[in-house]
């Protein structure tokens, strides 16, 4: 099977990273969903033979550089998320959307938990429950993300 | 991750990566930039006139105050000459603007639109119109990352303006709070005291305001006071900020500081 449309995947990752950086009003800063993780989950499910742990690591490192966090903080979480999504992609694909959302919530929380640990180890653990909000916002966004990215994938025949 | 956290060898890699990150930062700020340009060109003439008048008035006030400052500065220099310590007024200043992007919400960092190409260097002190904001921690040719004084990993040496008491103000991770550590219970410090940079440590030039003491607690049985301060800089609102260029980069080395301290000890006066 010839693979094409690699630039679409790259472009969606870039768009996700830009969304991570775009300024939000002060009250909305803690609501920002983990865009890059959501896109990563989608591609790990839709094109598991192409997007996997390696991509996840690269994406995570890029995000660390862009957001000025410890190198590897985002990468660690994304590696695990991509691994799980890759392993379960056949099952997740046939789930109804709400059930997918639940699983996505778990993966997003796992990503946040790993980052939380990293931050704790270097003594900068975030205070308050605000920290966990993005995963739930991500869960609510997932059906919409899934449909948009699926349409894009079909339109450009990415496999 | 450990290597990045603990050792400095990674600094080069980070600097290299920062060069790649800079264009993406500019790209991410583009929508906001365009929007503000648009809204700028759509502002009504009335608004602009109003603002113009306001600014004129403010300018007049400030220049009046500046005249006084010039005289005071001269006097200060003369007195310092008498004391035998070297005065360091008149630092040069470079104006930079924030790039409109959000970084990690739990780290207090910002990206500015001046980089090593404009003479920005790592460790440079950053001010806003009111007070010290932070320091440059990473430089690329066209941008630089600033760590705010309220970041949980930041600390800076300060001095109480009233009594000359020295201390370390460290960030708490909250935008409106700094904490002063290890001040003995009998320290001469009160709520409302102005904290200024002491210049010790050589990172921040001496004499710039940092914040005001907002709360002092005496925990029962503890050997030290818990002192909290509110930063005077508008950390969450400032858009233009000032980068301090010490008159010559050597002027605030440890050597000159110990010299000043010795002189002060000789004269039984504390340096300001």
């Amino acid at each position: 099977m010839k693979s094409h449309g690699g630039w679409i995947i790259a472009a969606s990752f870039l768009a996700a990273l830009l969304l991570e950086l775009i300024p939000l009003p002060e009250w909305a800063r803690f609501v920002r969903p983990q865009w890059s993780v959501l896109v990563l989950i989608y591609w790990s499910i839709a094109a598991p033979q192409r997007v996997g742990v390696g991509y996840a690591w690269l994406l995570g490192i890029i995000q660390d550089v862009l957001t000025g966090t410890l190198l590897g903080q985002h990468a660690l979480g994304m590696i695990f998320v991509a691994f799980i999504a890759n392993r379960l992609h056949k099952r997740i694909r046939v789930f109804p959307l709400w059930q997918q959302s639940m699983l996505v919530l778990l993966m997003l929380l796992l990503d946040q938990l790993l980052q939380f640990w990293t931050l704790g180890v270097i003594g900068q653990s975030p205070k308050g429950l605000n920290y966990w909000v993005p995963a739930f916002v991500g869960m609510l966004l997932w059906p919409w993300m899934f449909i948009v990215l699926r349409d894009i994938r079909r339109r450009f025949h990415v496999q | 991750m450990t290597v990045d956290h603990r050792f400095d060898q990674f600094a080069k890699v980070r600097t290299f990566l920062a060069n790649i990150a800079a264009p993406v930062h500019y790209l991410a700020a583009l929508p906001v930039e365009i929007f503000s340009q648009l809204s700028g060109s759509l502002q009504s003439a009335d608004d602009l006139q109003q603002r113009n008048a306001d600014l004129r008035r403010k300018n007049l006030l400030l220049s009046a105050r500046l005249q006084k400052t010039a005289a005071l500065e001269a006097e200060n220099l003369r007195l310092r000459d008498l004391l035998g310590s070297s005065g360091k007024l008149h630092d040069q200043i470079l104006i930079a603007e924030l790039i409109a992007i959000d970084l990690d919400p739990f780290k207090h960092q910002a990206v500015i639109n001046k980089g090593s190409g404009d003479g920005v260097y790592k460790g440079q002190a950053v001010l806003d119109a009111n007070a010290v904001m932070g320091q440059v921690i990473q430089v690329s040719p066209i941008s630089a990352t600033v760590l705010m004084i309220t970041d949980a990993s930041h600390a800076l040496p300060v001095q109480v303006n009233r009594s000359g008491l020295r201390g370390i103000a460290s960030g708490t991770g909250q935008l409106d709070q700094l904490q002063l550590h290890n001040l003995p219970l009998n320290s001469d410090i009160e709520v409302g005291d102005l904290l200024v940079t002491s210049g010790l440590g050589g990172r921040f030039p001496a004499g710039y305001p940092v914040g005001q003491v907002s709360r002092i607690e005496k925990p029962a049985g503890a050997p030290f006071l818990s002192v909290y301060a509110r930063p005077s800089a508008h950390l969450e609102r400032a858009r233009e900020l000032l980068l301090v260029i010490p008159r010559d980069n050597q002027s605030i080395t440890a050597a000159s500081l110990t010299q000043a301290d010795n002189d002060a000890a000789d004269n039984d006066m504390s340096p300001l």
Side-chain angles (χ1 to χ4, degrees):
Chain A
M1 183 166 59
K2 189 180 172 295
S3 64
H4 51 70
W7 65 274
I8 286 288
I9 299 181
S12 63
F13 280 147
L14 181 64
L17 288 172
L18 290 183
L19 282 173
E20 296 266 4
L21 289 175
I22 279 181
L24 294 178
E26 194 60 36
W27 60 268
R29 285 187 74 185
F30 294 101
V31 188
R32 184 197 300 275
Q34 300 138 286
W35 292 107
S36 50
V37 185
L38 283 170
V39 175
L40 177 72
I41 293 176
Y42 178 79
W43 289 118
S44 321
I45 295 168
Q49 73 284 10
R50 303 187 64 176
V51 177
V53 174
Y55 262 92
W57 180 79
L58 193 64
L59 183 67
I61 289 289
I62 294 174
Q63 192 175 345
D64 285 326
V65 172
L66 289 180
T67 56
T69 44
L70 190 66
L71 274 188
Q73 182 190 317
H74 285 97
L76 182 69
M78 288 193 188
I79 287 173
F80 279 87
V81 168
F83 178 73
I84 294 173
N86 262 333
R87 288 306 291 273
L88 299 179
H89 72 271
K90 282 186 183 146
R91 247 184 274 177
I92 301 176
R93 273 186 202 169
V94 296
F95 280 169
L97 274 180
W98 68 268
Q99 214 170 332
Q100 281 185 4
S101 293
M102 289 298 143
L103 205 61
V104 167
L105 172 66
L106 284 184
M107 287 193 264
L108 293 176
L109 281 175
L110 174 70
D111 174 61
Q112 290 209 291
L113 182 67
L114 289 166
Q115 289 198 39
F116 192 78
W117 281 345
T118 313
L119 288 170
V121 169
I122 59 174
Q124 299 174 7
S125 53
K127 296 182 191 79
L129 289 175
N130 268 344
Y131 176 78
W132 305 97
V133 173
F136 292 90
V137 180
M139 173 190 77
L140 295 176
L141 271 176
W142 172 255
W144 175 77
M145 285 279 296
F146 181 82
I147 291 168
V148 169
L149 282 172
R150 185 189 59 194
D151 288 354
I152 292 177
R153 181 174 63 83
R154 290 194 180 148
R155 178 104 167 57
F156 293 95
H157 308 289
V158 183
Q159 7 216 340
Chain B
M1 279 193 266
T2 319
V3 175
D4 186 24
H5 183 51
R6 301 238 175 212
F7 306 111
D8 256 358
Q9 284 93 322
F10 240 50
K12 276 195 188 120
V13 183
R14 286 216 84 132
T15 311
F16 170 71
L17 291 173
N19 294 353
I20 306 171
V24 184
H25 283 155
Y26 276 100
L27 191 61
L30 207 58
V32 180
E33 207 66 30
I34 292 170
F35 184 74
S36 69
Q37 291 262 330
L38 273 182
S39 67
S41 61
L42 291 177
Q43 254 172 1
S44 71
D46 266 1
D47 271 359
L48 288 178
Q49 270 168 6
Q50 176 73 34
R51 272 190 62 189
N52 203 334
D54 280 354
L55 289 175
R56 247 173 232 277
R57 213 169 306 135
K58 201 166 173 194
N59 196 2
L60 196 65
L61 273 176
L62 287 177
S63 32
R65 210 174 293 170
L66 197 64
Q67 290 170 17
K68 218 159 139 197
T69 323
L72 286 175
E73 216 166 79
E75 187 184 339
N76 190 316
L77 274 179
R78 237 184 3 258
L79 291 173
R80 271 176 196 280
D81 271 349
L82 291 178
L83 279 173
S85 68
S86 58
K88 289 183 289 284
L89 297 164
H90 259 331
D91 296 314
Q92 276 199 343
I93 267 173
L94 179 73
I95 297 180
E97 242 180 83
L98 286 186
I99 299 179
I101 53 172
D102 281 350
L103 302 180
D104 193 89
F106 293 95
K107 295 196 88 175
H108 298 181
Q109 296 180 343
V111 182
I112 56 173
N113 68 349
K114 293 271 167 21
S116 55
D118 307 286
V120 178
Y121 58 90
K122 197 174 160 179
Q124 194 166 18
V126 180
L127 320 170
D128 77 350
N130 303 301
V132 175
M133 279 186 93
Q135 58 176 302
V136 176
I137 51 167
Q138 201 174 9
V139 196
S140 83
I142 51 171
S143 73
T145 311
V146 176
L147 187 69
M148 303 288 180
I149 51 175
T150 49
D151 187 273
S153 64
H154 192 275
L156 83 165
V158 295
Q159 198 167 29
V160 177
N161 200 26
R162 182 175 55 80
S163 60
L165 179 76
R166 285 189 296 253
I168 304 279
S170 60
T172 56
Q174 282 156 291
L175 267 179
D176 58 351
Q177 208 171 55
L178 294 168
Q179 191 175 8
L180 268 74
H181 292 289
N182 300 349
L183 290 178
L185 285 173
N186 60 357
S187 305
D188 183 7
I189 189 165
E190 287 165 12
V191 171
D193 275 350
L194 179 70
L195 301 173
V196 298
T197 51
S198 69
L200 299 178
R203 269 285 159 92
F204 292 92
Y208 286 101
V210 175
Q212 271 192 324
V213 176
S214 58
R215 193 151 53 89
I216 299 177
E217 282 167 17
K218 291 184 182 169
F224 296 112
L225 288 175
S226 302
V227 180
Y228 296 93
R230 168 184 292 276
S232 307
H234 295 305
L235 294 172
E236 73 285 11
R237 272 179 289 156
R239 204 170 140 71
E240 272 91 23
L241 25 96
L242 315 168
L243 293 156
V244 183
I245 307 166
R247 217 168 4 172
D248 57 314
N249 281 345
Q250 304 304 312
S251 68
I252 44 170
T253 55
S256 71
L257 278 171
T258 42
Q259 181 64 41
D261 266 357
N262 287 341
D263 289 345
D266 289 346
N267 295 318
D268 203 21
M269 295 270 256
S270 63
L272 269 175

